[in-house]
């Protein structure tokens, strides 16, 4: 139904940031034109932008929002940066994200759905026929939906701001980086780093197998701070970490692999039935 | 050292007096449902001495955050007036840390050696000189993972203004009857507590016998002495033990971040939306993190977890000692407890020592 591309989620955070016009003092510099778009999602990530109340005014002073369904209506024109939330799960989504890509200098996937497929991918536990029948009943033929995929499975994505929902502070940092022409990188550290910086009591002390050690941080470890284990919404740090995690869980806690893989399905972090092959980083032997 | 005996009530009263002049930090009990025991202690800000739990076992995190915060703004910069103006941010309010165990006092001494002597750091120095420290001795091992007895870090040799020892003769279920032997380590300490209680000339609580009994009670041991350890660990540089343990390692950095002597930080700049100003921030870094050793051009000179693990152990057991004369491991056991992959520093040291020792024979 939709193009059969690999469901895979590269994190393109290593390249240099494209430079946008930098506001210069005294001159009314051109402000980057921003569009905020939603595919199959709850649009919670777009709403996160509106929730940045303390910084919203300075944000709006520096950028020009030309299209944003949650806050204003506009025409699909050219934008400097398109922020897109939601997974690609229908032919309509495919056409729309291609159009957005065409009109945007920089395309940023925001939130777990756009970066990984997100909770939409839970339906993959059933066959396409079954989930469409379940949702649309007799009228299923009128609603051509398919598997939920990240944007990167359909178009080139320049940046990803993961999380369910995306992290407001990270979004603001991204915008500041772009405005000042500085490279933007996602943290390449585990969620544990932020638990430690916050002084949270580790959930492993209660015998819970939190996904924090293998999940990309940057969320301020908000779930463990409120007593809930990390479910990996920001995606895995790497396949090697996942393999180590599965092995440690079995050896140290007796947790079977199937249980680990099931947990990783919540946000579409990993959808395979077996562990991925991993390539340890090249380097001199120790 | 000039010794006195004070009662629990007197001590509490004096801590409250301290709290009227300074921000008060000390061990606080927090319920930890599902944990064994279901109680954990944290160094936290309190408003009254009665909120402190001076008979705590260990604090989950050391007091490092009060002299080297996990995140801080070093300065703000502004170029809106056409010139570049930087304004340092100094957040050093008078603070009293009350109830630091000997290992954590040794940890503070190491941070002092690094940030006050080796590489003078203005922010650290400002906070440290505004910090009044009251140590309290732990009469028994705080946890089965502690190895302070073998590192020689369960005896205090400075790093505080006043040191308290709960007198075992009067300790018991009734805390109100508790008495503390007091040792003074600074003039400020004498000013605070010098006239409280009564003089204690026999100083029974802190006799040599007290320390010997305490040392003997630890079950987790280093297999080599601290004098031999640096050479033995160095000799294991090319050993396979690093790869063996690193096979379980996530490179999550928890072991570094909970360590009371790990002092590495990362510095990043942030710009304001209008581009005219911004700030320079620093936050705790960790040498176990995959990107720690990435340098300009993108080269990572410690790409493998095994290389990072070895580096960390070398720092803890040999290199920092060589540089500062102080042990960089104070035996608190926090890294072993924090590692969700059950990788133990002490196991690695013992294996390294054994391997090197065997090779020697
Ligand atoms: S609670 Fe989870 S994220 Fe936090 S330190 Fe423990 S394992 Fe890591
Ligand atoms: S702790 Fe884990 S599940 Fe929670 S927000 Fe962070 S990455 Fe997502
Ligand atoms: S290395 Fe481990 S045991 Fe030693 S001081 Fe650091 S956290 Fe404590
Ligand atoms: S805490 Fe354990 S898993 Fe994490 S970096 Fe340290 S040794 Fe590795």
């Amino acid at each position: 139904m939709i193009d059969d591309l690999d469901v895979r989620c590269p994190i393109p955070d290593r390249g240099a940031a494209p430079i946008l016009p930098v506001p210069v003092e005294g001159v009314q510099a051109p402000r980057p034109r921003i569009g905020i778009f939603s595919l199959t999602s709850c649009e919670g990530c777009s709403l996160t932008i509106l929730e940045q109340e303390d910084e919203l005014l300075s944000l709006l002073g520096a950028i020009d929002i030309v299209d944003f369904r949650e806050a204003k209506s506009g025409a699909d024109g050219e934008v400097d940066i398109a922020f897109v939330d939601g997974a690609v799960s229908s032919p309509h989504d495919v056409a729309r994200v291609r159009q957005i890509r065409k009109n945007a200098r920089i395309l940023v996937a925001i939130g777990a759905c756009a970066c990984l497929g997100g909770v939409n991918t839970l339906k993959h536990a059933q066959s396409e026929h079954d989930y469409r029948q379940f949702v649309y009943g007799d009228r299923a033929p009128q609603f051509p939906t398919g598997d939920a995929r990240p944007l990167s499975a359909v178009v080139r994505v320049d940046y990803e701001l993961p999380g369910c929902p995306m992290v407001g502070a990270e979004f603001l940092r991204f915008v500041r980086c772009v405005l000042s022409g500085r490279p933007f990188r996602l943290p390449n550290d585990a969620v544990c780093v932020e638990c430690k910086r916050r002084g949270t009591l580790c959930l492993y002390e209660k015998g819970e197998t939190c996904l924090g050690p293998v999940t990309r941080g940057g969320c301020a470890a908000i779930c463990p701070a409120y007593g809930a284990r990390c479910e990996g919404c920001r995606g895995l740090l790497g396949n090697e970490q996942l393999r180590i995690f599965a092995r440690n869980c079995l050896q140290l806690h007796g947790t079977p692999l199937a249980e680990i893989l099931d947990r990783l399905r919540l946000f579409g972090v990993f959808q395979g039935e077996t562990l991925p092959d991993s390539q340890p980083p090249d380097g001199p032997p120790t | 050292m000039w010794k006195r005996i004070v009662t629990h009530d007197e001590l509490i009263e004096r801590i409250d007096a301290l709290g009227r002049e300074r921000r008060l930090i000390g061990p606080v009990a927090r319920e930890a449902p599902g944990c064994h025991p279901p109680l954990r202690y944290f160094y936290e800000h309190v408003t009254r001495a009665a909120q402190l739990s001076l008979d705590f076992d260990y604090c989950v995190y050391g007091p490092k955050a009060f002299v080297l915060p996990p995140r801080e703004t070093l300065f703000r910069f502004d170029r809106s007036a056409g010139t570049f103006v930087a304004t340092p941010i100094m957040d050093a309010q008078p603070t009293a840390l009350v109830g630091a165990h000997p290992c954590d006092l040794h940890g503070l001494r190491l941070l002092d050696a690094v940030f006050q002597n080796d590489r003078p750091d203005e922010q650290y120095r400002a906070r440290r000189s505004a910090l009044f420290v009251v140590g309290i001795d732990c009469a028994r091992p705080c946890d089965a993972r502690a190895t302070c007895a073998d590192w020689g870090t369960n005896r205090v040799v400075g790093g505080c203004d006043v040191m308290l020892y709960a007198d075992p003769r009067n300790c018991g279920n009734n805390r109100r009857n508790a008495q503390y032997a007091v040792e003074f380590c600074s003039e400020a300490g004498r000013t605070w507590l010098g006239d409280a209680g009564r003089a204690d000339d026999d100083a029974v609580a802190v006799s040599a016998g007290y320390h010997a009994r305490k040392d003997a009670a630890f079950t987790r041991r280093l297999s080599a002495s601290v004098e031999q350890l640096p050479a033995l660990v160095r000799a294991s540089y090319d050993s396979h033990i690093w790869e063996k343990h690193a096979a379980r390692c996530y490179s999550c950095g928890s072991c570094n971040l909970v360590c009371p002597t790990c002092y590495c930080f990362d510095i990043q700049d942030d710009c304001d939306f209008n581009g005219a100003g911004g700030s320079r921030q620093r936050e705790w870094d960790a040498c176990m993190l995959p990107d720690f050793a990435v340098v300009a051009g993108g080269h990572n000179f410690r790409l493998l977890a095994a290389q990072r693990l070895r580096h960390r152990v070398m720092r803890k057991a040999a290199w920092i000692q060589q540089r500062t004369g102080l042990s960089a491991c104070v035996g608190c056991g926090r890294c072993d407890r924090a590692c969700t992959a059950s990788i133990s520093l002490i196991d690695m040291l013992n294996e390294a020592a054994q391997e090197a020792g065997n090779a020697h024979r």
Side-chain angles (χ1 to χ4, degrees):
Chain A
M1 180 157 301
I2 324 178
D3 318 359
D4 196 22
L5 287 167
D6 216 6
V7 180
R8 178 174 66 83
C9 194
I11 306 281
D13 57 343
R14 292 282 169 179
I19 311 278
L20 281 171
V22 181
V24 183
E25 307 106 53
V27 188
Q28 192 52 47
R31 304 184 308 166
R33 290 160 55 86
I34 307 277
I36 299 157
F37 307 94
S38 290
L39 305 178
T40 303
S41 67
C42 68
E43 300 185 27
C45 291
S46 312
L47 273 176
T48 301
I49 298 172
L50 294 181
E51 281 163 12
Q52 306 309 306
E53 286 139 8
D54 294 348
E55 309 227 32
L56 205 52
L57 285 180
S58 8
L59 173 69
L60 294 176
I63 62 173
D64 205 0
I65 298 186
V66 296
D67 198 329
F68 189 3
R69 193 166 69 176
E70 290 288 350
K72 65 184 283 190
S73 53
D76 276 9
E78 292 207 344
V79 293
D80 290 310
I81 312 176
F83 292 100
V84 185
D85 74 11
V88 180
S89 68
S90 68
H92 176 253
D93 283 345
V94 173
R96 191 155 159 74
V97 74
R98 287 200 173 129
Q99 187 62 37
I100 294 168
R101 174 72 268 184
K102 223 162 143 190
N103 290 343
R105 290 179 59 195
I106 300 177
L107 187 140
V108 187
I110 59 174
C113 300
C115 297
L116 301 163
V119 288
N120 298 293
T121 59
L122 283 173
K123 66 180 178 180
H124 299 170
Q126 298 172 32
S127 73
E128 185 175 312
H129 173 268
D130 287 356
Y131 63 67
R132 292 185 56 208
Q133 202 62 40
F134 179 79
V135 178
Y136 300 109
D138 297 347
R139 293 190 293 162
Q142 293 161 42
F143 296 94
T145 59
D147 283 0
R149 297 176 301 161
L151 307 189
S152 58
V154 181
V155 293
R156 178 170 58 80
V157 172
D158 298 306
Y159 292 97
E160 294 185 333
L161 302 179
C164 186
M166 113 175 133
V167 179
E170 192 163 76
F171 168 79
L172 295 173
R173 181 169 70 86
F174 175 83
V175 175
R176 288 196 299 267
C177 279
V178 171
L179 287 172
S180 54
R182 305 180 66 238
F184 171 84
R185 289 202 177 98
L186 286 177
N188 199 26
D189 308 330
V191 175
C192 302
V193 169
E194 283 159 319
C195 265
K196 266 55 211 181
R197 290 192 188 129
R198 285 180 82 129
T200 303
L201 179 65
C202 178
L203 291 163
Y204 278 77
E205 294 230 10
K206 304 196 225 182
E208 291 193 23
T209 47
C210 175
L211 286 175
V214 295
T215 301
R216 183 179 305 278
C219 57
I222 185 165
C223 299
Y226 287 94
R229 59 188 189 180
C230 171
E231 297 294 358
C233 77
R234 285 175 56 86
L236 284 171
L237 278 162
N239 285 343
E240 182 61 18
Q241 270 93 340
L242 173 56
R243 290 160 58 83
I244 297 173
F245 187 71
R247 193 170 58 222
N248 285 353
C249 280
L250 187 64
Q251 284 174 3
L252 303 172
H253 312 285
T255 315
L257 177 63
E259 207 172 292
I260 303 293
L261 294 182
D262 273 352
R263 277 179 65 196
L264 292 169
R265 268 185 255 280
L266 179 55
F267 291 105
V269 166
F270 185 79
Q271 299 177 54
E273 299 295 330
T274 54
L275 285 177
D277 290 333
S278 78
Q279 197 76 60
D282 299 324
T286 47
Chain B
M1 283 195 195
W2 206 60
K3 300 188 178 76
R4 296 190 78 78
I5 296 278
V6 296
T7 64
H8 185 77
D9 288 351
E10 257 178 312
L11 180 66
I12 292 297
E13 213 173 275
R14 291 298 174 106
I15 297 173
D16 275 328
L18 203 55
R20 284 191 283 277
E21 295 161 11
R22 296 164 172 275
R23 178 175 67 137
L24 215 50
I25 307 287
V28 173
R30 292 264 166 249
E31 278 178 30
C35 296
H36 305 289
L39 204 61
R40 288 290 185 280
Y41 298 90
F42 295 85
Y43 288 117
E44 277 179 19
H45 181 207
V46 297
T47 49
R48 285 177 306 113
Q51 296 166 302
L52 299 173
S53 297
L54 292 176
D55 53 354
F56 67 111
D57 47 10
Y58 61 84
C59 283
V60 173
Y61 294 90
K64 177 170 75 175
F66 301 105
V67 282
L68 184 68
R71 257 194 199 97
E72 71 178 313
T73 301
L74 297 176
F75 61 79
R76 282 213 35 95
F77 59 89
D78 185 33
R79 49 192 183 96
S80 54
T83 49
F84 181 88
V85 183
T87 316
I89 309 284
M90 286 285 175
D91 166 30
Q93 52 171 316
T95 301
L97 168 66
V98 179
H101 275 171
C103 55
D104 283 337
L105 295 175
H106 279 272
L108 268 180
R109 285 181 75 226
L110 182 83
L111 297 180
D112 287 349
V114 172
F115 289 110
Q116 293 196 305
N117 309 331
D118 198 10
R119 290 274 181 278
D121 181 283
E122 284 181 50
Q123 268 85 0
Y124 181 91
R125 287 175 133 184
R127 266 188 296 264
R128 187 64 175 94
S129 58
L131 186 70
F132 182 84
V133 183
V134 181
I136 187 160
D137 199 59
C138 36
R140 50 189 181 280
C142 60
D143 181 65
R145 290 187 174 87
T147 50
C148 50
D150 288 341
W151 294 101
T153 49
N154 65 343
R155 294 175 198 211
V156 171
V157 289
C160 61
D161 295 281
V162 173
M163 188 63 201
L164 304 171
Y165 296 83
D167 187 334
R169 293 168 304 183
N170 289 309
C171 253
N173 296 333
N174 188 352
R175 261 210 299 164
R176 299 192 70 85
N177 282 340
Q179 293 196 356
Y180 297 87
V182 186
E183 273 180 12
F184 298 95
C185 310
S186 78
E187 208 40 56
R190 284 197 182 89
T191 311
W192 174 55
L193 209 56
D195 61 345
R198 59 182 167 82
D200 168 44
D201 298 321
D202 12 315
V204 176
V206 266
S207 64
Y210 169 86
H211 280 306
R213 279 193 301 278
K214 187 178 137 181
D215 285 5
F218 287 83
T219 47
R220 188 90 163 107
R221 308 301 311 202
L222 287 175
S223 61
S225 72
V226 271
E227 290 78 26
Q228 300 165 316
L229 200 60
L232 292 172
V233 171
R234 272 200 183 85
S236 313
Y237 194 84
D238 295 318
S239 163
H240 287 295
I241 58 175
W242 316 119
E243 276 163 324
K244 183 184 110 187
H245 289 272
R248 287 208 307 278
C249 174
Y250 303 120
S251 301
C252 70
S254 289
C255 47
N256 294 127
L257 295 158
V258 297
C259 178
T261 71
C262 271
Y263 53 75
C264 289
F265 53 79
D266 185 34
I267 290 189
Q268 296 287 340
D269 290 350
D270 200 354
C271 286
D272 297 342
F273 285 105
N274 62 13
S279 60
R280 175 161 293 182
Q281 323 265 352
R282 82 164 150 197
E283 54 185 17
W284 288 355
D285 205 343
C287 63
M288 289 305 296
L289 296 174
D291 288 356
F292 182 85
V294 174
V295 289
H299 177 64
N300 188 343
F301 57 86
R302 280 194 295 275
L303 195 62
L304 302 176
Q307 294 169 320
R308 295 190 288 270
L309 197 59
R310 174 177 66 190
H311 173 83
R312 174 181 152 238
V313 176
M314 291 285 159
R315 297 266 297 172
K316 292 296 156 195
W319 294 342
I320 291 184
Q321 199 265 347
Q322 178 183 15
R323 194 174 171 126
T324 63
L326 301 173
S327 167
C329 176
V330 298
C332 68
R334 288 190 179 99
C335 54
D336 284 15
R337 207 158 38 226
C339 182
T340 61
S342 293
I343 297 169
S344 156
L345 173 80
I346 306 303
D347 282 351
M348 287 187 283
L349 291 178
N350 284 346
E351 282 173 39
Q354 196 186 3
E355 228 182 64
N358 287 344
H360 206 61
R361 251 166 243 145

